[in-house]
Amino acid sequence: MSATPRLYVEADLVEGGDFALGGDQAHYLSRVMRLGVGDHVRVFNGRHGEWDATMRASTKSTATLALGSRTREHAGVPDLWLLFAPLKKARTDFLVEKAVELGVAEIRPVLTERTDAETVRVDRFQRLAIEAAEQTERLDVPPIRDAAKLMTLLSGWDTNRVLLFADEAGDDAERPWGGEAGRARPADEVLRGLPDGPAAILIGPEGGFSAAERAQLRKQAFVRPVSLGPRILRAETAAVAVLALWQAIRGDWRG
Ligand code: SAM
């Protein structure tokens, strides 16, 4: 992979066009990456692929880039969403960054009964997602949606999109692991049995889902509970594990 810096820009990218960068991006190129006139940058905007650009002029707070040739055609990621209950700041930051690297198409913070996040900083998550997309050589940046209550999401759900519910417990709250009755099937078995098509993964908060939430989830025809094995994973670990499994079995990690 090239060491040439990559930047996500909003501008349309057309052959021979010039465009200006302001604020943080100009500062990043000139002061952090110490680029000068004539140096190269790779730019992408989530629509027109990746392009080679040359620095034409730069000050501390502005930079002008001249677009050269397209280096990569636009390519998206599989139609996979991540729904997660926000966690403590550092853990949520980690989860958002890994979800971008693992190729989710959209990220939706979900408010559940035991979600402990005081504030859901969507603007912060979106900045993290842009940085992760630049680093991971993606050609797009997944949108971070506004936080929504779990029950609201379920009531308006597009039933063509299967919802994989990372379910660490079973139906019988009195028995360890919910007893045999309610235990979720192993994730790889569930994933291999899915039809191709849009999917979403739901990861609960550190305190897990309430019994009412689990009952509501398990009765939906579009929900597939999945087990991630016999240990309780941190929410961010569970997210990485099931995203990786999905990409390997159903997504773009296949040959
Ligand atoms: N309810 C758990 C407990 O015993 O305290 C804690 C929840 S766990 C820290 C956070 C989330 O990660 C869960 O709600 C679930 O979505 C996911 N998760 C963790 N371990 C899992 C497992 N073994 N199988 C499926 N999902 C798991």
Side-chain angles (χ1 to χ4, degrees), residues 74-165:
H74 179 65
V77 294
D79 189 0
L80 173 65
W81 294 354
L82 173 67
L83 281 63
F84 74 99
L87 308 160
K88 292 273 186 291
K89 180 170 166 293
R91 292 184 186 283
T92 299
D93 289 1
F94 174 88
L95 185 150
V96 167
E97 183 182 71
K98 298 313 145 196
V100 174
E101 292 172 46
L102 289 166
V104 297
E106 190 162 311
I107 297 177
R108 295 186 163 217
V110 176
L111 302 177
T112 68
E113 288 177 35
R114 299 175 189 164
T115 302
D116 64 5
E118 294 75 46
T119 58
V120 180
R121 296 284 312 279
V122 171
D123 54 334
R124 171 186 172 74
F125 298 161
Q126 195 66 75
R127 278 198 305 278
L128 286 170
I130 289 171
E131 286 168 21
E134 290 170 341
Q135 174 277 325
T136 199
E137 305 269 338
R138 277 183 68 146
L139 291 162
D140 67 339
V141 176
I144 314 281
R145 300 302 182 198
D146 288 335
K149 289 189 183 325
L150 175 61
M151 295 307 161
T152 308
L153 273 177
L154 293 183
S155 61
W157 195 259
D158 168 6
T159 55
N160 294 311
R161 183 178 296 275
V162 68
L163 176 57
L164 297 160
F165 160 40

Side-chain angles (χ1 to χ4, degrees), residues 15 25 34 46-48 57 72-73 86 89 98-99 114 124 132 140 178 199-200 203 237 242 245:
E15 189 99 33
Q25 288 189 322
R34 298 193 176 290
R47 305 185 300 280
H48 300 136
R72 289 168 63 192
E73 291 294 328
K89 180 170 166 293
K98 298 313 145 196
R114 299 175 189 164
R124 171 186 172 74
D140 67 339
I203 304 290
T237 312
V242 67
L245 263 177

Side-chain angles (χ1 to χ4, degrees), residues 114 165-168 177 202-209 226-235 238:
R114 299 175 189 164
F165 160 40
D167 182 5
E168 80 282 4
W177 290 97
L202 171 64
I203 304 290
E206 278 314 308
F209 291 100
V226 296
S227 168
L228 295 173
R231 287 170 291 280
I232 295 282
L233 309 177
R234 287 269 190 203

Side-chain angles (χ1 to χ4, degrees), residues 196-255:
D196 277 331
I201 288 165
L202 171 64
I203 304 290
E206 278 314 308
F209 291 100
S210 70
E213 286 169 337
R214 298 170 38 65
Q216 189 63 19
L217 278 160
R218 280 170 160 263
K219 73 181 179 190
Q220 311 294 333
F222 55 80
V223 168
R224 298 286 184 286
V226 296
S227 168
L228 295 173
R231 287 170 291 280
I232 295 282
L233 309 177
R234 287 269 190 203
E236 63 273 27
T237 312
V240 170
V242 67
L243 285 172
L245 263 177
W246 191 93
Q247 287 294 14
I249 296 172
R250 309 229 58 95
D252 62 11
W253 286 8
R254 290 176 290 181

